[in-house]
Amino acid sequence: MHEPQQPIHPSTAVVALGRPDPTEDAPLNPPITLSSTFVGAGAPEPGQRMYARMSNPTWDPLEEAVGALEGAELPGLSYASGMAAVAAVLELVPVGGTVAVPSTSYNGTIGLARRLAQAGRFVLREIDPTDLDATRMALSGAALVWLESPTNPLLEVLDLPALIAAAGEAGALVAVDNTFSTPLRQRPLALGADLVVHSATKFIAGHSDVLLGLVVAADAELRSRLHTDRTLRGAIPGPFECWLALRGLRTLALRLDRAEETAGVLAGRLSTAPGLRRVRYPGLPTDPGHELARAQLAGFGAMISIELASAERADAFVHALGLITPATSLGGVESLAERRRRQPSEPVQVPESLVRLSIGIEHVDDLWADIAQALSAAN
Ligand SMILES: Cc1ncc(COP(=O)(O)O)c(C=O)c1O
């Protein structure tokens, strides 16, 4: 096979990247290597496999594919879960250093940052990154800034170019959690971010059957630090998880296109549905993040958050759903709904009555019929 003549589209890349060389009799898909150790007796050569906490051939194709999709020159690094990836990046902050994390970050991220700060590991400055001036001031002296956009579950769209530039002026590293957008909709490294983090559990793997995290670093020194740290801390993924995630990645473009189209239709219908206080979806022209989303994102995503009249009504809505499953998590082929504040760890900025909808790939009319009947039952 010859190299393609021109840069390939991301929707082709998800299919083509991370495959074995197409030599005679080679498998089309990378095999799963189930081995904790690799044969060898001498001093290891650079890059030589030795022990499966250091490297595993089944990680490589996924890490290469996601690194390339994010526009990095180096492969990504896979982790046992999204939170293991988040923890690995927070670990880059020097002891006693300062890290800026939005209060409305995914609850695990802000929860871990608070816990580490309480333990004296670093100083945490909680920021509201929608307030650019306040954020600029809070960045002074920070070693790392955490950004997530759109946010989970408020779906706020951050001004990433402005925030990344402000972090650059402050000399801080910038990590962007790109779980909601995936590299098919947003590539933070191209905007100047230093690190991209994914809960690959969500859209990348896409079938709600695996937990996995990924970090993509813009430069070799950062990647090398993360790699050594991963080896020593041991928060590595299993080979089967990486294989499943790569298999899921093959259909990411198709799944996302379909789910996003459906989410756009549903958000439009929800915006005129009775009994709702608010519909949050960056694709709605009335959404506060719409203009930024249009400028920054190649698509508005498959997540919608709705606010009902009260927490009780929100619970009644979720219970009345039939096709859409009440469950936490997101980004799978099946639609899920959750009143987020049922989780005690959810940030207080998230309204009690907010239900997060993760739109899957079912037919839009079936999803709308389910939502409409559940709204009637709840109101
Ligand atoms: C935006 C975001 N980041 C990180 C995580 C953590 O990922 P995981 O559940 O794979 O550990 C999640 C999980 O919901 C998430 O939504």
Side-chain angles (χ1 to χ4, degrees):
M1 200 170 80
H2 301 285
E3 288 294 309
Q5 298 294 304
Q6 58 193 44
I8 54 175
H9 291 91
S11 58
T12 306
V14 294
V15 177
L17 291 171
R19 294 204 179 264
D21 283 342
T23 49
E24 196 71 20
D25 277 346
L28 181 62
N29 290 302
I32 305 177
T33 302
L34 292 174
S35 187
S36 58
T37 191
F38 300 90
V39 177
E45 299 286 322
Q48 188 183 336
R49 298 194 199 282
M50 236 171 70
Y51 188 56
R53 183 159 35 74
M54 300 166 179
S55 90
N56 184 302
T58 319
W59 302 346
D60 298 352
L62 175 71
E63 294 180 342
E64 280 160 19
V66 175
L69 285 166
E70 286 290 1
E73 284 175 14
L74 299 160
L77 290 160
S78 47
Y79 290 85
S81 66
M83 279 312 299
V86 173
V89 170
L90 291 179
E91 208 46 55
L92 293 170
V93 179
V95 173
T98 297
V99 57
V101 182
S103 311
T104 54
S105 302
Y106 164 63
N107 69 37
T109 304
I110 187 66
L112 176 63
R114 284 179 184 153
R115 207 176 152 81
L116 290 169
Q118 269 156 19
R121 169 65 181 77
F122 50 52
V123 175
L124 170 64
R125 281 192 202 138
E126 292 202 21
I127 54 170
D128 170 4
T130 61
D131 183 340
L132 265 178
D133 289 337
T135 302
R136 268 196 201 102
M137 287 190 341
L139 293 189
S140 150
L144 175 77
V145 184
W146 189 272
L147 300 172
E148 180 186 308
S149 180
T151 55
N152 178 5
L154 294 176
L155 295 174
E156 282 166 340
V157 183
L158 306 184
D159 188 341
L160 288 183
L163 288 161
I164 291 170
E169 281 160 28
L173 290 175
V174 184
V176 178
D177 185 329
N178 203 20
T179 298
F180 270 33
S181 291
T182 86
L184 299 192
R185 298 293 182 262
Q186 170 168 276
R187 301 210 303 170
L189 297 187
L191 302 174
D194 301 285
L195 298 143
V196 175
V197 178
H198 284 281
S199 168
T201 311
K202 318 298 184 195
F203 290 98
I204 288 181
H207 294 74
S208 308
D209 53 8
V210 64
L211 267 113
L212 196 84
L214 284 156
V215 178
V216 181
D219 81 70
E221 197 266 337
L222 270 179
R223 188 185 187 279
S224 161
R225 277 170 67 191
L226 287 163
H227 184 272
T228 305
D229 210 47
R230 181 183 64 174
T231 299
L232 295 174
R233 287 172 190 274
I236 54 154
F240 189 48
E241 279 73 11
C242 282
W243 188 90
L244 276 174
L246 184 64
R247 184 184 158 110
L249 184 73
R250 301 293 181 221
T251 55
L252 176 62
L254 276 179
R255 288 185 283 106
L256 196 56
D257 284 353
R258 163 74 172 227
E260 190 173 66
E261 193 186 337
T262 303
V265 173
L266 295 177
R269 292 184 191 170
L270 283 162
S271 65
T272 57
L276 291 180
R277 274 193 191 150
R278 184 166 171 188
V279 179
R280 297 171 188 246
Y281 182 67
L284 287 174
T286 50
D287 192 88
H290 184 64
E291 288 311 317
L292 274 178
R294 275 167 52 103
Q296 269 172 221
L297 298 170
F300 301 117
M303 303 299 298
I304 305 173
S305 288
I306 55 176
E307 287 170 42
L308 287 95
S310 64
E312 293 69 31
R313 295 224 169 149
D315 280 334
F317 168 76
V318 172
H319 282 117
L321 289 166
L323 175 66
I324 300 176
T325 307
T328 196
S329 204
L330 59 108
V333 290
E334 57 297 289
S335 298
L336 303 179
E338 183 185 28
R339 187 175 75 80
R340 287 294 290 175
R341 287 289 296 275
R342 83 186 173 110
Q343 299 195 30
S345 54
E346 192 67 358
V348 291
Q349 290 88 343
V350 176
E352 284 279 3
S353 66
L354 182 145
V355 174
R356 187 186 70 189
L357 298 168
S358 172
I359 304 305
I361 61 168
E362 305 92 336
H363 196 284
V364 61
D365 292 343
D366 295 326
L367 290 174
W368 177 246
D370 195 28
I371 290 171
Q373 67 76 25
L375 279 178
S376 303
N379 289 309

